[in-house]
Amino acid sequence: MFRYAWDAEEFTASDAMGATGLTRSTTIEAIDTLCELGLVVELPNAREAGDYRKGRPARRFILRADAAVLVGVDAGNSHIGVTLTDLRSHPLSQQRATRALDSDDGPTRQGLLSGLIDDALTASNRTREDVLAVCVGVPAPVDRSGRSPRHPNGFWERMNPDLVDVLSWAPLVRIENDASLAAFAEAEWGAARGCEDYVALLAGDRLGAGVVVDGHLLRGRHGGVGEMVAFDYVQGVGGADGLGIRAARLAEDALAATDASASSSLRTLGPGQLDGKTVLEHAHAGDPVARRVVNQVGDILARIVSVLGSMYDPQRVIVSGAIADGIDEVVAAARRSLPTDIDLPAPDLIASTLGADVVARGAVAAAAAQARAQTLDVWPPRGRR
């Protein structure tokens, strides 16, 4: 009954009976229980609302969207962003902090993430007692218990420093790989709507993939499905660096190898200004060096898509993340480079429209999905008992 109330707008007992197949008495009892718990509220009847009808007006109900809050977190290597929403996933507040790449340790990350969540709650006049579900996306494989395996240089443990324990004060806690959450967001709002076989390629600082096959998100024993370390061994790719980092590096190499008198607007950039987004902007403006770089990155992307297509047979590969803004020319170049002689048909290659918030939005969607399924198991939250 609660799942029906979550999905419905306002509803009557007759509406709920038709959708759930329950008897009238059971339906009314369940609705009254949800009202007593504070999860559903009764609306004014038709006469009180000014919508007069003959006969006894039907009782109308609606989910109490403000009964609790959801927290979605994008905990990347160089940033942590927190989004606080109501139960309908309507944003209430956001907090964000940026970090230099590889600049913090596990305890520092734990404290920063917890502090940003508390700041978001304070900004919305809420407390931890109001939180129903928290979902965090991290750039690391995550197993079913919310933990990441050991990494040779400690990166995965640093990105996910036992966050499932740090956030155990919340009734429902979910830690996921960030690319998997991008896949959630693409299914909910983006290019994967209506698609059951797709890969969300998160292509920011490093490559990561959220892989959905037959409508199911793949994880693996250690959460390693979609990890891109295999590209260390793919000729012409040579690693899991993101597309933006590759564009900047290729542009630096091109400028160093080009006669200094050759025309390129990239030469006017100061130290630290040459990043992937800037290269794409200059390519769009017609800079010859930047355009050559776009074609090179497109060729690399085509190789990546070819491997993903051979491994998972997706209908679509969606380039997601902040780099997706302005990457249309790279995607077009990759489409031209996709091989036509591979055994399986090449997947459709699409640039996401969800931008830099794709992981945060996926985290909110995943928190909402868990809350929808498990609220009655944990309600009321510990602080309200």
Side-chain angles (χ1 to χ4, degrees):
M1 183 65 221
F2 177 68
R3 295 189 186 189
Y4 169 75
W6 184 289
D7 293 333
E9 294 299 328
E10 64 179 65
F11 63 93
T12 66
S14 296
D15 296 329
M17 286 173 55
T20 64
L22 299 174
T23 65
R24 174 168 287 277
S25 60
T26 300
T27 298
I28 292 174
E29 182 180 357
I31 292 173
D32 287 341
T33 298
L34 291 175
C35 289
E36 291 171 5
L37 291 172
L39 291 168
V40 167
V41 64
E42 185 170 0
L43 296 171
N45 65 44
R47 285 198 183 96
E48 293 172 352
D51 184 14
Y52 176 76
R53 296 174 186 172
K54 292 182 179 180
R56 182 178 179 182
R59 297 171 68 193
R60 299 180 303 134
F61 305 89
I62 195 168
L63 177 76
R64 268 197 61 201
D66 63 349
V69 295
L70 309 174
V71 181
V73 183
D74 175 9
N77 188 2
S78 59
H79 63 273
I80 297 179
V82 173
T83 300
L84 190 75
T85 78
D86 64 16
L87 296 184
R88 293 288 192 193
S89 299
H90 298 142
L92 300 175
S93 63
Q94 292 182 309
Q95 297 289 326
R96 183 177 177 86
T98 57
R99 309 283 293 174
L101 283 174
D102 301 318
S103 65
D104 56 9
D105 55 22
T108 301
R109 176 164 287 255
Q110 291 173 343
L112 178 60
L113 188 148
S114 296
L116 287 172
I117 291 175
D118 288 337
D119 289 345
L121 289 167
T122 299
S124 298
N125 295 316
R126 297 283 195 150
T127 69
R128 289 187 177 187
E129 292 183 358
D130 296 309
V131 175
L132 175 58
V134 180
C135 180
V136 183
V138 297
V142 181
D143 66 18
R144 290 172 181 81
S145 69
R147 304 186 188 278
S148 297
R150 294 183 61 186
H151 187 271
N153 66 14
F155 178 75
W156 291 340
E157 304 98 297
R158 187 159 53 81
M159 293 297 99
N160 180 18
D162 296 321
L163 294 177
V164 70
D165 297 327
V166 172
L167 300 171
S168 61
W169 51 265
L172 300 172
V173 181
R174 183 171 183 170
I175 314 299
E176 288 284 359
N177 171 261
D178 53 3
S180 295
L181 293 181
F184 263 94
E186 296 294 349
E188 189 79 13
W189 299 287
R193 282 177 293 183
C195 182
E196 294 201 334
D197 301 283
Y198 65 94
V199 174
L201 180 64
L202 196 60
D205 298 331
R206 290 181 62 80
L207 298 174
V211 181
V212 175
V213 176
D214 296 333
H216 300 287
L217 181 70
L218 302 187
R219 183 189 299 276
R221 180 182 177 186
H222 302 101
V225 172
E227 281 300 311
M228 300 285 99
V229 291
F231 285 109
D232 290 349
Y233 310 101
V234 176
Q235 186 175 7
V237 180
D241 287 337
L243 300 183
I245 288 177
R246 291 174 186 272
R249 184 186 302 141
L250 288 167
E252 290 176 354
D253 293 344
L255 291 173
T258 303
D259 188 284
S261 64
S263 174
S264 174
S265 55
L266 295 175
R267 294 190 184 281
T268 64
L269 300 176
Q273 291 183 309
L274 186 60
D275 57 22
K277 181 180 179 181
T278 301
V279 173
L280 295 178
E281 290 172 349
H282 283 248
H284 185 70
D287 181 82
V289 173
R291 292 193 67 80
R292 287 200 298 273
V293 169
V294 161
N295 288 330
Q296 289 176 288
V297 176
D299 182 65
I300 294 169
L301 178 57
R303 292 172 184 265
I304 293 168
V305 171
S306 296
V307 172
L308 294 174
S310 297
M311 292 174 64
Y312 301 115
D313 190 22
Q315 178 184 346
R316 298 172 192 164
V317 173
I318 305 161
V319 182
S320 300
I323 192 66
D325 292 333
I327 206 172
D328 289 343
E329 293 182 50
V330 172
V331 169
R335 290 185 186 130
R336 294 192 296 269
S337 296
L338 281 172
T340 58
D341 57 351
I342 56 178
D343 293 333
L344 294 171
D348 297 330
L349 179 58
I350 302 169
S352 173
T353 60
L354 300 183
D357 292 335
V358 64
V359 175
R361 294 181 70 173
V364 169
Q370 187 166 13
R372 178 182 178 276
Q374 295 182 254
T375 291
L376 295 184
D377 297 331
V378 298
W379 193 268
R382 288 187 290 269
R384 300 183 185 182
R385 293 172 188 170

